[in-house]
Amino acid sequence: MAQRLSPFELMEKLISFPTVSRDTNIPLIDWVADYLDSHGIESHRYIDPEQPKHALFAHVGPWEEGALVLSGHTDVVPVDGQPWDTDPFSVVEKDGKYYGRGTCDMKGFDALALWALVEGKYSDIKRPLQIALSFDEEIGCTGAPPMIEAMQPVLPKGSAAIIGEPSTMQAVTGHKGGIGFDTHVIGFEVHSSMLHKGVNAIMAGAKLIEWANQINTENMEDKPTDLAAMFDPPFTTLHVGMIKGGTAHNITAKDCWFAMDFRVVPGEDKDKWAMDYLKKVRAVEAEMQAVVPETRIEITPRFDVPALQPEHEGEAEALVRQITGDNASHKVSYGTEAGQFQDAGYSAVICGPGSIEQAHQPNEYIEVAQFNAGHDFMKKLLERLAT
């Protein structure tokens, strides 16, 4: 009989693959497929046609609809420039914590989900269980939608999905949506002593960034809706986290690049925010072209992540609450793939071990107690699927 690895052994193996979003995840997916195959579990893939990345999904239990889906992503954020005390792609236990890139976000959960799937294969579960492992979550949740679409004609349709992002094993039932735009401001170079005859792309771009500051101030001052009040902060936010441009301090910058991101509270229209931004872009562009007609601003959509809407008597939420005993209300401002499963017709909830505060950090870790709590959750889940 093939070896049945423990959750910790599975996490060790998954962490050993440096699946930073800019790189391939195929070696990890190959290993998972081989491991499942060794236990008689057939897996299926979505193969990205434009880059070397695969998603994987599989099913155990009765071949019928109504499965519970355990969903996680396989990519991690870079470690470049971070002061790690240990090898980020090896799991190191120290002071009651497992250190390693992805231990918290979210290969710890992926390992628990793989363990549960294999155990489900050997158990007499009455309700089917599925796993879905995506890619490119960290760069805008772009890998999950085609994976979910690919699952539909291959596996019996599941009815509920648990997305295992770190939530300290609490039931998170809502999160903000998100949209992002790569913005390229193309100006006209002249000597800075004659700046009135040129167009400084950085200074033009700064008008868009200042617009974002003004909108944030207005949103902060507005009274939030009842739904928005559940979030921290209780309003839609605009953010620019990276910017570059220019060639010298005494030349008006020809180019400026930055990303404008929106985190939109449920109940608000993401498309309206996109249109508001485009309107402001075109106004700034018109000012630029009044000086030099060939200048322009190019906008490229980068991601579009739907919000997770709180469900009335949601199946996924009810199941998680029954297992964890958590009856409090939890909402988060970061985005996940949960809203994408919900848009595809699944009841969805976020529940996974670890704290989001450790995600993406140098010396990322998951507490041993949290990982064990996730293991206990999966044991109880399998018990429920068997009744």
Side-chain angles (χ1 to χ4, degrees):
M1 178 182 292
Q3 183 181 9
R4 288 154 72 172
L5 300 179
S6 70
F8 177 77
E9 291 170 326
L10 288 164
M11 179 172 66
E12 277 191 309
K13 190 63 182 180
L14 296 180
I15 296 293
S16 72
F17 294 100
T19 52
V20 175
S21 295
R22 64 179 176 234
D23 300 322
T24 183
N25 73 333
I26 294 176
L28 181 149
I29 293 297
D30 286 344
W31 183 86
V32 171
D34 289 343
Y35 179 68
L36 294 180
D37 182 66
S38 73
H39 292 284
I41 301 173
E42 181 183 11
S43 62
H44 309 270
R45 303 192 193 201
Y46 167 74
I47 299 175
D48 191 296
E50 298 180 355
Q51 58 179 340
K53 295 182 181 180
H54 295 177
L56 178 143
F57 43 93
H59 176 112
V60 297
W63 192 259
E64 61 188 31
E65 295 187 352
L68 174 68
V69 183
L70 300 176
S71 170
H73 60 81
T74 60
D75 57 319
V76 296
V77 296
V79 299
D80 307 46
Q82 292 187 335
W84 282 75
D85 298 329
T86 62
D87 177 0
F89 298 109
S90 297
V91 178
V92 176
E93 181 178 359
K94 183 173 59 174
D95 300 327
K97 301 168 183 174
Y98 293 133
Y99 289 88
R101 174 57 87 220
T103 50
C104 173
D105 184 20
M106 59 181 297
K107 290 180 178 178
F109 176 84
D110 293 347
L112 292 165
L114 280 170
W115 177 86
L117 194 77
V118 171
E119 294 302 308
K121 170 68 175 180
Y122 293 106
S123 303
D124 186 24
I125 58 175
K126 304 297 191 296
R127 179 181 178 181
L129 181 65
Q130 296 177 356
I131 193 171
L133 300 177
S134 69
F135 58 85
D136 282 358
E137 190 274 347
E138 296 292 5
I139 59 174
C141 297
T142 57
M147 175 191 71
I148 296 170
E149 182 179 0
M151 291 169 62
Q152 305 314 307
V154 177
L155 303 182
K157 177 66 180 286
S159 63
I162 298 174
I163 289 75
E165 292 283 358
S167 70
T168 61
M169 296 310 298
Q170 296 175 326
V172 174
T173 58
H175 68 63
K176 292 183 179 181
I179 47 174
F181 301 92
D182 287 331
T183 304
H184 182 192
V185 184
I186 302 167
F188 185 80
E189 290 178 313
V190 296
H191 193 279
S192 59
S193 64
M194 301 293 291
L195 62 83
H196 64 293
K197 294 184 177 181
V199 174
N200 189 314
I202 292 175
M203 297 183 74
K207 295 180 180 180
L208 298 175
I209 297 172
E210 179 54 25
W211 173 79
N213 285 327
Q214 293 171 358
I215 295 298
N216 283 335
T217 299
E218 294 172 6
N219 288 352
M220 190 181 304
E221 293 174 349
D222 285 345
K223 181 180 179 180
T225 64
D226 290 344
L227 184 55
M230 298 178 182
F231 294 84
D232 182 20
F235 52 87
T236 292
T237 57
L238 287 64
H239 179 252
V240 174
M242 296 178 65
I243 186 170
K244 65 177 181 178
T247 54
H249 69 87
N250 60 350
I251 302 174
T252 57
K254 181 179 184 296
D255 295 285
C256 178
W257 296 269
F258 59 89
M260 181 71 73
D261 295 347
F262 298 73
R263 293 190 182 273
V264 183
V265 295
E268 293 187 5
D269 187 351
K270 291 199 289 24
D271 291 341
K272 181 181 182 304
W273 281 112
M275 292 301 297
D276 287 348
Y277 182 51
L278 183 60
K279 181 179 178 181
K280 183 62 180 179
V281 165
R282 294 305 169 227
V284 172
E285 184 181 62
E287 295 176 4
M288 296 165 55
Q289 292 177 345
V291 180
V292 179
E294 59 263 35
T295 59
R296 64 192 185 278
I297 302 176
E298 297 178 350
I299 302 297
T300 305
R302 192 171 78 260
F303 65 86
D304 186 343
V305 181
L308 174 63
Q309 303 280 352
E311 300 173 0
H312 178 63
E313 298 181 350
E315 176 192 354
E317 174 187 352
L319 177 61
V320 168
R321 292 194 186 282
Q322 289 165 8
I323 296 175
T324 63
D326 173 29
N327 291 313
S329 176
H330 306 287
K331 310 292 186 296
V332 295
S333 292
Y334 57 83
T336 78
E337 296 170 342
Q340 294 168 327
F341 273 92
Q342 190 177 64
D343 274 7
Y346 296 79
S347 173
V349 69
I350 301 166
C351 184
S355 169
I356 194 64
E357 293 180 1
Q358 274 73 59
H360 303 182
Q361 297 298 310
N363 297 319
E364 177 184 346
Y365 68 83
I366 187 171
E367 293 181 352
V368 174
Q370 273 289 301
F371 190 69
N372 291 341
H375 191 189
D376 290 340
F377 176 92
M378 292 300 178
K379 292 176 184 176
K380 294 175 181 177
L381 175 63
L382 289 171
E383 291 174 1
R384 289 186 173 274
L385 296 180
T387 61

